[in-house]
Amino acid sequence: QYTVQIRDDNSLHTELTVENLETQKTFDFTVLFHSYFKVNAAQVRVLGLKGVSFEDKVEKDQNVSMKKEENEEVTITQETDRIYLDINNKEIVVLDPSKSKYQQITIARSNFVDVVVWNPWIEKAKNMSDFDDAEYKNMICVEPGSVAKPVNIAANERKKFTQTLSVATKK
């Protein structure tokens, strides 16, 4: 079951409930909310990930693809495809100082243990049939999910995953 609520407090709440109707069998699954934000990629900053381990999906050398975020702010300066691991319910903030009104989006999550940060950048954007060649300049994905390790759901069990996107207006 998937529900979407637009709330009076400038927020969008999405909720996914997965229910295993089997009486004896468990199953595994991965889940990712694909949240695309219209931002100036050259100026956007993602906060709340410092100290978090991540898998760099762009890194070709498997021996160094696991890294730890050392920066207070994640910026986009090249192709970016990272899975930030085991961050649980910590809030993530997307800041775009180029916006005249809504400069900050706060992402609150529950039961998603990972967050993917993605921007295809120049070459990959050119090779994507459903993506304009220059569209990478105006977007970032900050996607709550559980993707690094599958979620296990027992027989007759139900799991709920939520995301609330809140915007703050410029004063």
Side-chain angles (χ1 to χ4, degrees), residues 63-108:
N63 295 322
V64 294
S65 66
M66 289 304 297
K67 301 175 181 177
K68 191 171 215 168
E69 186 58 62
E70 297 177 359
N71 300 306
E72 290 288 339
E73 301 176 335
V74 175
T75 59
I76 304 298
T77 59
Q78 61 187 8
E79 180 184 351
T80 303
D81 190 358
R82 299 175 178 176
I83 303 172
Y84 287 87
L85 308 166
D86 298 322
I87 62 174
N88 297 312
N89 296 330
K90 185 177 180 183
E91 284 188 350
I92 307 298
V93 175
V94 179
L95 291 175
D96 183 356
S98 73
K99 296 283 186 187
S100 60
K101 187 173 182 184
Y102 298 108
Q103 292 186 336
Q104 178 177 313
I105 302 168
T106 301
I107 305 167

Side-chain angles (χ1 to χ4, degrees), residues 115-132:
V115 168
V116 172
V117 175
W118 180 76
N119 180 296
W121 209 244
I122 300 165
E123 290 307 312
K124 191 169 237 174
K126 288 180 183 177
N127 293 319
M128 295 171 65
S129 62
D130 61 344
F131 208 86
D132 183 70

Side-chain angles (χ1 to χ4, degrees), residues 21-66:
L21 299 176
E22 292 282 343
T23 57
Q24 296 181 344
K25 294 180 186 176
T26 65
F27 71 88
D28 295 334
F29 64 96
T30 57
V31 58
L32 186 68
F33 280 10
H34 293 276
S35 304
Y36 284 65
F37 299 109
K38 185 173 180 155
V39 297
N40 180 331
Q43 294 187 32
V44 72
R45 307 288 182 258
V46 181
L47 288 72
L49 298 170
K50 184 176 181 176
V52 177
S53 295
F54 67 92
E55 181 180 355
D56 187 344
K57 303 295 272 183
V58 177
E59 177 64 57
K60 303 293 185 234
D61 184 348
Q62 292 286 333
N63 295 322
V64 294
S65 66
M66 289 304 297

